[in-house]
Amino acid sequence: MEELKRIKLFAGCSDDALERLLESPCRRQEYPAGRRMLNAGDPCRALMVLVEGQAEARMIGEEGRELLVDHLNAPMLLAPAFLFATPNIVPVEVTAVTDCVVWHINREAFFEFMQQEPSVLRAFLEELSAKGHFLSGKMRSFAVKGLKNRVFEYLEENVNITSVADVAQQLGATRPSLSRVLSEMLGEGLVVKDGKGYRKA
Amino acid sequence: MEELKRIKLFAGCSDDALERLLESPCRRQEYPAGRRMLNAGDPCRALMVLVEGQAEARMIGEEGRELLVDHLNAPMLLAPAFLFATPNIVPVEVTAVTDCVVWHINREAFFEFMQQEPSVLRAFLEELSAKGHFLSGKMRSFAVKGLKNRVFEYLEENVNITSVADVAQQLGATRPSLSRVLSEMLGEGLVVKDGKGYRKA
DNA sequence: TGCGTGCTGTAACAAATGTTACGATTCACG
DNA sequence: CGTGAATCGTAACATTTGTTACAGCACGCA
């Protein structure tokens, strides 16, 4: 399918090589908006490629606390960092936000494919590394930073805060807590109001 | 060098292939105990293989908070998850605990080597995946769990707590806080004293 | 226009954790 | 036997964040 060519991972590889990959056992699956695509604890035996739609990755804690880990916008890979892991388990749940289309590509076929296509191998390694970078950054935020610093960090990566409730989930805080911190930062001149939201001062 | 054969990554590859890899620009370096081997923010252009000694990886926050992320015992790879990352930067500082010996292997040579040796590629992918798993677990702990739950988790992965001060650093807490929580858990019967340390009840 | 719905700010209180300080214990070493 | 260093438990207090509740405001819709 030409859908797959849009993803960076397969950008540099030849058409017939890609066709050979698709001859291996793999399938195309559609998910309606709101549908769970991956549960925490699920095994991950195929490379999942989100070719259409938007999804969210969330982590759930025992105490009901919930963290919005990442926004997933097509085209991109789902949970690439867990495809070759032991135990082969995803730690997040992935839910479709809009209607989604996902390709499931056989792991072993993909493994051989990478060996034959250096550009794909390179891109996949970069993808995994990016995930590592992403996760270690998150970990750092939560482990050694207070909420105010996380807000600051958020405003550097994203332009502004439009939905306090949403961002609170991403920062691992409750809405009233974030609201309070934003008020304080407003008073300290660290942020300014931007229409209905907030923006870096 | 035969030192390298001890690491899982190179376990399944032929001797002459390994020798060819070592003909590429790479070097062997020794670090005395206490020496910083990698600073946060350093670029990472070579695969670093710790073949001897013990080291520690730490993250530093702006506010002086410090987190002991991982114990590194030879033989293992150092910061494999950042070798192919962009930006090509390590987020932790790595310090030698005992005298250490580290091999630096040229990245591009290693990349070609992986293509020729499927077992190495496989092992490296598994290594990266394991790092992802490790990091996401840590992140989950810090983002959605309280200190008491982190202590519980620690006691499931490790047998017991011998040094309160050390473990506090690993859990991202201060020593008095951990001490207090341990006292509470003692009262609730969740842990028991084990000589000078603590153990799961 | 009036009303329900959803998001927001805010306040009062509770819980968790950090900060600082002090005394007790152990242990190596002179 | 003393003594200093390291570690630990603990207490009092400060700070941060969660919890719960309530009121305001914008918006869509009958």
Side-chain angles (χ1 to χ4, degrees), chain B residues 10-23:
Chain B
F10 297 121
C13 78
S14 62
D15 286 21
D16 53 341
L18 193 54
E19 274 180 24
R20 278 204 311 279
L21 174 63
L22 292 183
E23 285 168 11

Side-chain angles (χ1 to χ4, degrees), chain A residues 55-117:
Chain A
E56 286 176 348
R58 293 172 182 276
M59 271 189 181
I60 316 282
E62 299 84 351
E63 308 138 7
R65 283 205 252 183
E66 201 172 326
L67 181 71
L68 176 52
V69 180
D70 206 359
H71 292 280
L72 311 169
N73 298 315
M76 75 179 307
L77 303 179
L78 299 183
F82 305 102
L83 183 57
F84 293 98
T86 49
N88 196 5
I89 281 178
V90 295
V92 295
E93 61 172 48
V94 177
T95 311
V97 175
T98 66
D99 291 351
C100 286
V101 177
V102 174
W103 273 91
H104 297 250
I105 298 176
N106 180 272
R107 176 173 60 191
E108 297 312 318
F110 178 65
F111 181 70
E112 286 176 21
F113 183 64
M114 275 193 296
Q115 287 174 262
Q116 291 153 17
E117 298 279 331

Side-chain angles (χ1 to χ4, degrees), chain A residues 60 63 108 122 140 149, chain B residues 60 63 108 122 140 149:
Chain A
I60 316 282
E63 308 138 7
E108 297 312 318
R122 185 112 208 166
R140 179 189 159 91
N149 281 314
Chain B
I60 317 283
E63 308 136 8
E108 297 312 316
R122 185 110 207 169
R140 180 189 159 92
N149 282 313

Side-chain angles (χ1 to χ4, degrees), chain B residues 80-94:
Chain B
F82 306 102
L83 183 58
F84 293 99
T86 49
N88 197 3
I89 281 177
V90 295
V92 295
E93 60 172 50
V94 177

